[in-house]
Amino acid sequence: MKNFLVYSLALVIATAPILIIPACSKSSDSSSDLVGNWAISDFFDGNARSEAVSFTINDTVYVGTGLTATKRLEDFWKYSIDKKFWTRVADFPGGQRSQAIAFSVNNKGYVGTGLDPALNYHNDIWEYNPATNTWMQKNDFGGTPRRDAVAFVANGNAYVATGYDDNYLKDVWQYNAGADSWTQKAGIAGAKRAEATVFNINGKVYLVSGNNNNSAINDLQSYDPATDSWTTLRKLTNVTDESFDDKYTSIIRYNAAAFVIDGKAYLTTGENGSMNSRTWEYNPGDDTWTEKTAFSGAARTGAIGITLKNRGFIMSGRSGTNPFDNMYEFQPSADDDDNDNQ
């Protein structure tokens, strides 16, 4: 989605974003010694696009809105991993937009914020009911209208954080779907940012990197909803005398995508001055990253990361103004079979 999902016992003082030397689109040492395989999966039936949103309800993923080479979109689609095909559902009623947020709570999907064709920011929220294939407008998001925020779910509540409203942001808002109400929570511990990536591992939520004034941020934040507090974890740079973080700088990026398999997160695609295809696996048990086989599709930004039935997928995105409609599945323990770029 462009979306999805962060912690600890003390609020850590933010550190300033740093400008990192851009990573190349493919790792120079990303072949034989790295583990994992990317396999082409089912192509998306809708228009090729980037900056779309997605949410998952049970074993069905819903994808919609976004940006083609020439226009913003309002269509929505669903995909069943068992049936392996896409079906168009009711269009998003909030109008054409990109760079929005999405999440799912209590078997309903939610979409809001984002940028319309006139480049206006929005703070509306719409609820999708898959049982009736209908949308209903809910109370507006509690923060300012914005684009490129993140959304995640923890302990049954949804959260929307960070983004850009002509100012980079670090605020966090909790949504109670039952009460249809918003409550401001503790802001993130790091720098203000947009285009960050978020993921949830076993109920713990992590927010990684992002963009501040066109500089990629070198931190990983975790959020504990029980104490409403953020913690800064190990920096995404070579800050120790040990070898484990020697290549960490290539993790840093914005507008990336992530998914979760077997309790580990996988971060890939995105950009940092140039497109970044290097793929990293995050282990929350010891707060370390391991490089895996680089994404084998065309290098891209603004893609979607999807987790379905403990399987991870990357779809859509763009290179320059050229959008994509393909989808790849990552097999983290398989040998790389050198799939051709598509």
Side-chain angles (χ1 to χ4, degrees):
M1 359 208 124
K2 185 164 177 175
N3 33 94
F4 288 62
L5 304 120
V6 194
Y7 127 64
S8 199
L9 301 178
L11 188 65
V12 179
I13 301 301
T15 58
I18 63 172
L19 180 62
I20 302 300
I21 297 173
C24 54
S25 64
K26 292 284 185 181
S27 168
S28 60
D29 55 355
S30 63
S31 54
S32 60
D33 57 336
L34 299 180
V35 178
N37 179 61
W38 291 93
I40 192 70
S41 188
D42 299 313
F43 279 72
F44 179 53
D45 278 7
N47 290 342
R49 68 194 65 199
S50 67
E51 321 297 347
V53 297
S54 71
F55 55 82
T56 301
I57 299 175
N58 298 320
D59 293 326
T60 301
V61 64
Y62 295 81
V63 174
T65 69
L67 182 67
T68 72
T70 59
K71 65 179 181 179
R72 286 174 171 80
L73 300 166
E74 59 191 344
D75 58 334
F76 242 86
W77 300 75
K78 68 178 181 179
Y79 174 77
S80 167
I81 195 171
D82 294 324
K83 297 180 179 179
K84 296 186 179 300
F85 68 85
W86 291 88
T87 303
R88 188 164 179 173
V89 298
D91 287 355
F92 174 64
Q96 299 170 344
R97 70 182 67 183
S98 63
Q99 296 139 287
I101 56 90
F103 56 85
S104 62
V105 177
N106 299 331
N107 293 319
K108 304 283 180 64
Y110 297 83
V111 176
T113 70
L115 195 66
D116 69 19
L119 303 184
N120 297 310
Y121 304 128
H122 289 270
N123 67 343
D124 55 341
I125 298 292
W126 295 81
E127 177 189 81
Y128 177 74
N129 185 342
T132 59
N133 189 28
T134 58
W135 295 86
M136 176 183 296
Q137 188 166 12
K138 310 300 286 186
N139 283 332
D140 286 348
F141 166 58
T144 58
R146 65 192 63 193
R147 61 167 173 86
D148 290 313
V150 296
F152 56 89
V153 175
N155 291 350
N157 291 310
Y159 296 78
V160 175
T162 67
Y164 185 79
D165 66 355
D166 289 333
N167 174 43
Y168 290 92
L169 301 164
K170 60 184 295 182
D171 55 339
V172 178
W173 294 80
Q174 180 192 76
Y175 180 64
N176 183 316
D180 188 22
S181 62
W182 293 89
T183 303
Q184 189 165 13
K185 310 300 283 187
I188 65 170
K192 301 186 295 183
R193 69 194 71 192
E195 300 176 298
T197 306
V198 68
F199 50 83
N200 187 313
I201 303 177
N202 299 326
K204 299 178 180 180
V205 185
Y206 302 82
L207 184 144
V208 58
S209 202
N211 176 18
N212 182 301
N213 292 297
N214 296 317
S215 295
I217 299 171
N218 71 327
D219 67 0
L220 173 66
Q221 304 283 332
S222 64
Y223 179 66
D224 182 354
T227 59
D228 185 29
S229 59
W230 291 81
T231 295
T232 301
L233 302 176
R234 283 189 175 124
K235 291 293 184 186
L236 305 181
T237 42
N238 182 14
V239 295
T240 76
D241 294 331
E242 300 179 58
S243 62
F244 73 88
D245 58 358
D246 287 352
K247 300 178 183 178
Y248 270 20
T249 297
S250 69
I251 302 171
I252 302 165
R253 65 194 74 183
Y254 48 90
N255 218 9
F259 48 80
V260 175
I261 303 173
D262 290 331
K264 295 179 180 178
Y266 296 85
L267 177 75
T268 191
T269 67
E271 60 185 301
N272 180 12
S274 62
M275 301 297 170
N276 192 336
S277 292
R278 294 174 77 159
T279 300
W280 286 84
E281 173 190 87
Y282 178 69
N283 184 346
D286 58 7
D287 187 24
T288 59
W289 297 81
T290 302
E291 189 166 11
K292 308 292 282 188
T293 302
F295 177 65
S296 66
R300 65 195 62 193
T301 188
I304 296 171
I306 297 170
T307 302
L308 278 175
K309 287 192 169 182
N310 201 36
R311 295 164 63 181
F313 301 84
I314 295 294
M315 68 165 287
S316 67
R318 61 180 166 82
S319 176
T321 59
N322 178 44
F324 299 104
D325 61 2
N326 48 20
M327 182 164 70
Y328 287 78
E329 180 177 0
F330 186 60
Q331 301 151 344
S333 299
D335 291 330
D336 180 19
D337 65 3
D338 295 324
N339 287 310
D340 292 334
N341 290 357
Q342 299 196 37

